[in-house]
Amino acid sequence: MNTDISKKLFYRAKGLMPGGVNSPVRAFNAVGRTPLFIKSAEGSRIYDEDGNSLIDYVCSWGPGILGHSRPEVIKAVQKACEYGLSYGAPTKKESELAEMIISAVPAIEMLRMVSSGTEAVMSAVRAVRGFTGRDLIIKFTGCYHGHSDGLLVKSGSGLMTNAVPDSAGVPKGFTDNTLVADYNSKESVQALFDKYPDKIAGILVEPVAANMGVVPPEDGFLKFLRDITEKNGAMLIFDEVITGFRLSLGGACQYFGIRPDMVTLGKIVGGGMPLGVYGGRREIMECVSPLGRVYQAGTLSGNPIAVTAGIETLKILMDDTGIYDRIDKKASELEQALSSTGLVRVNRAGSLLSAFFTKEAVSDYKSAVLSDTAMYSKYFTHMLESGIYTAPSQFEAMFVSDAHTDEDIKITKEAIISFK
Ligand code: KE4
């Protein structure tokens, strides 16, 4: 495929932005290629500057559950723009979106809107620390919760892709209150509570880990986290930036039947516009300024354009919950095709899936990093040359949308089984 224009644009961008990108994984370092510069996207496809048309399974890293440029969302956003882009003042639309989220996610009794998943998680952790008066937070190796200093510890996503799980520039003191356990390891969590009795403010977890590739929770793991936090006066925070409105309308809370104390959202909730949400038990959220002493603020928080995109996206999901069965079925077909190659172990949760180039089961960071990333890179290139745009990293997820047609799935399956 011809990527001459992308190559020229990448050369120009590299002189302007670190690695030529505004988020590391986009640089394609892990797959040893020039990234495609995207010109437009519609439905299940993205179109690059060289005129290549590709079936897209990145879906902007998750927001695109409806596919790209869903007409109802675009029209509503265009209309909203006529009324101004941001006021820095409350609007009724924010209450409309908040009511929709609260009705879909009962664990959220009160919420605050911000502009990214990073902001949502950073703020949720601060609220939980403020509410409990405790400092220690447990996260899991290989999970990624955005780039706030205290959480850049043994992280997944782009840090794992670049094999640098801890970031430079984060003073040790900033991570002293971050404890790390192993995903799916009850023992590692129990050991931390035994070591730090009455000091742990909360556990922060991706209810389906999707930043070391997709790693679902083993049976009983989330229930264990719910029980041990309740027993120890700690809070359970579900980071649902990826799983929220993805696994079901009620996200992982509904999918697994677990009620955490706090939930963070991003991606789908903004319909592809910059919007994050943190929320949970009313008594925790009432600690947040201006009601309480946990400070958090944001110029563009809840801005009318992002909120409009979120409202329209959630309206479609709420009016047609059959979408979840449809995208799960499509993802299951891809899982079967991938497994039939005999080359990979596939992990899937609903419409989220990853193909690991390893013979062993992948249930945590240690088993995920055993994957053959060179083989993944070859697979990525094979798929790209076959017109399929999948995650440019072994340690990211594949996202299926409602815009992926049966024909798209057929083409994708053919590309998968032709990989040798
Ligand atoms: P943002 O700040 O990127 O909106 O959200 C951070 C975040 C928080 N929590 C979870 C579970 C997340 O997956 C993310 C961000 N996800 C990555 C993809 N794995 C975003 C893509 C990127 O970093 O370029």
Side-chain angles (χ1 to χ4, degrees):
M1 67 193 282
N2 179 359
T3 59
D4 291 348
I5 297 175
S6 280
K7 286 191 176 81
K8 288 195 185 79
L9 290 171
F10 191 42
Y11 178 80
R12 170 187 170 200
K14 284 194 285 191
L16 302 167
M17 294 160 276
V21 292
N22 283 308
S23 202
V25 70
R26 303 178 191 173
F28 276 25
N29 291 347
V31 291
R33 288 182 68 100
T34 301
L36 303 186
F37 277 62
I38 304 307
K39 185 173 188 174
S40 68
E42 188 172 4
S44 62
R45 287 182 173 271
I46 53 173
Y47 303 88
D48 72 8
E49 294 284 354
D50 288 283
N52 297 305
S53 161
L54 300 117
I55 300 171
D56 176 26
Y57 290 99
V58 173
C59 299
S60 183
W61 301 104
I65 192 168
L66 301 177
H68 294 290
S69 307
R70 178 73 181 242
E72 301 94 312
V73 179
I74 298 295
K75 283 198 188 73
V77 166
Q78 286 171 331
K79 186 76 189 148
C81 288
E82 293 169 14
Y83 292 83
L85 301 182
S86 181
Y87 319 125
T91 64
K92 68 181 178 181
K93 278 186 175 180
E94 290 157 90
S95 299
E96 182 182 348
L97 179 58
E99 285 167 347
M100 295 172 83
I101 294 166
I102 289 167
S103 73
V105 188
I108 298 179
E109 297 171 348
M110 179 177 269
L111 62 83
R112 170 64 62 80
M113 294 173 197
V114 291
S115 296
S116 71
T118 292
E119 259 196 288
V121 178
M122 175 173 72
S123 309
V125 166
R126 188 178 307 132
V128 156
R129 283 173 163 152
F131 176 69
T132 61
R134 299 178 182 181
D135 295 340
L136 299 180
I137 287 283
I138 294 174
K139 77 174 287 286
F140 293 91
T141 300
C143 286
Y144 176 72
H145 302 286
H147 63 89
S148 62
D149 282 337
L151 296 176
L152 287 176
V153 180
K154 300 273 185 287
S155 288
S157 188
L159 294 117
M160 200 164 160
T161 297
N162 297 316
V164 183
D166 305 317
S167 174
V170 177
K172 186 178 174 314
F174 282 42
T175 57
D176 282 350
N177 291 308
T178 307
L179 306 176
V180 185
D182 294 323
Y183 201 77
N184 280 321
S185 162
K186 297 176 183 177
E187 299 72 24
S188 66
V189 175
Q190 184 64 62
L192 291 172
F193 277 95
D194 294 345
K195 186 172 178 185
Y196 301 99
D198 304 326
K199 295 225 177 351
I200 295 172
I203 294 179
L204 173 63
V205 67
E206 290 182 62
V208 171
N211 285 292
M212 47 180 140
V214 175
V215 177
E218 288 170 350
D219 287 351
F221 182 61
L222 296 178
K223 177 77 171 61
F224 168 79
L225 298 183
R226 178 63 288 177
D227 294 343
I228 196 167
T229 44
E230 266 170 6
K231 190 166 156 234
N232 288 277
M235 301 298 113
L236 180 59
I237 308 168
F238 269 14
D239 178 352
E240 293 222 44
V241 167
I242 284 185
T243 57
F245 297 104
R246 166 66 58 181
L247 295 182
S248 75
L249 195 60
C253 297
Q254 177 184 326
Y255 194 80
F256 294 107
I258 299 278
R259 186 176 177 125
D261 300 290
M262 290 286 282
V263 178
T264 57
L265 298 168
K267 298 181 193 268
I268 293 173
V269 77
M273 294 293 284
L275 196 148
V277 171
Y278 69 102
R281 282 168 48 195
R282 185 174 291 276
E283 56 267 33
I284 300 174
M285 291 306 292
E286 287 178 344
C287 295
V288 177
S289 178
L291 267 185
R293 295 186 55 245
V294 175
Y295 194 72
Q296 174 269 313
T299 302
L300 297 177
S301 296
N303 77 75
I305 311 307
V307 168
T308 297
I311 288 170
E312 290 308 314
T313 299
L314 296 198
K315 264 186 196 164
I316 293 166
L317 294 173
M318 290 173 162
D319 291 350
D320 176 15
T321 50
I323 181 177
Y324 293 103
D325 288 341
R326 295 196 296 271
I327 58 181
D328 289 5
K329 181 175 170 300
K330 291 169 190 170
S332 162
E333 286 188 58
L334 298 179
E335 175 185 22
Q336 285 160 28
L338 286 161
S339 300
S340 73
T341 64
L343 298 171
V344 296
R345 296 289 293 234
V346 184
N347 282 350
R348 180 172 73 86
S351 60
L352 273 179
L353 66 161
S354 288
F356 293 93
F357 281 83
T358 179
K359 297 291 182 209
E360 306 305 320
V362 178
S363 60
D364 57 13
Y365 177 85
K366 284 194 290 290
S367 46
V369 291
L370 297 178
S371 303
D372 183 339
T373 51
M375 272 302 283
Y376 184 86
S377 178
K378 287 197 186 80
Y379 164 74
F380 174 83
T381 292
H382 166 76
M383 296 299 279
L384 202 65
E385 300 290 346
S386 308
I388 313 288
Y389 190 79
T390 190
S393 162
Q394 169 70 88
F395 305 117
E396 295 287 357
M398 198 174 170
F399 297 88
V400 178
S401 83
D402 200 36
H404 286 108
T405 62
D406 292 342
E407 180 62 14
D408 291 333
I409 300 299
K410 179 171 170 291
I411 293 167
T412 309
K413 284 162 64 174
E414 285 164 1
I416 288 168
I417 54 183
S418 66
F419 177 61
K420 295 283 176 273

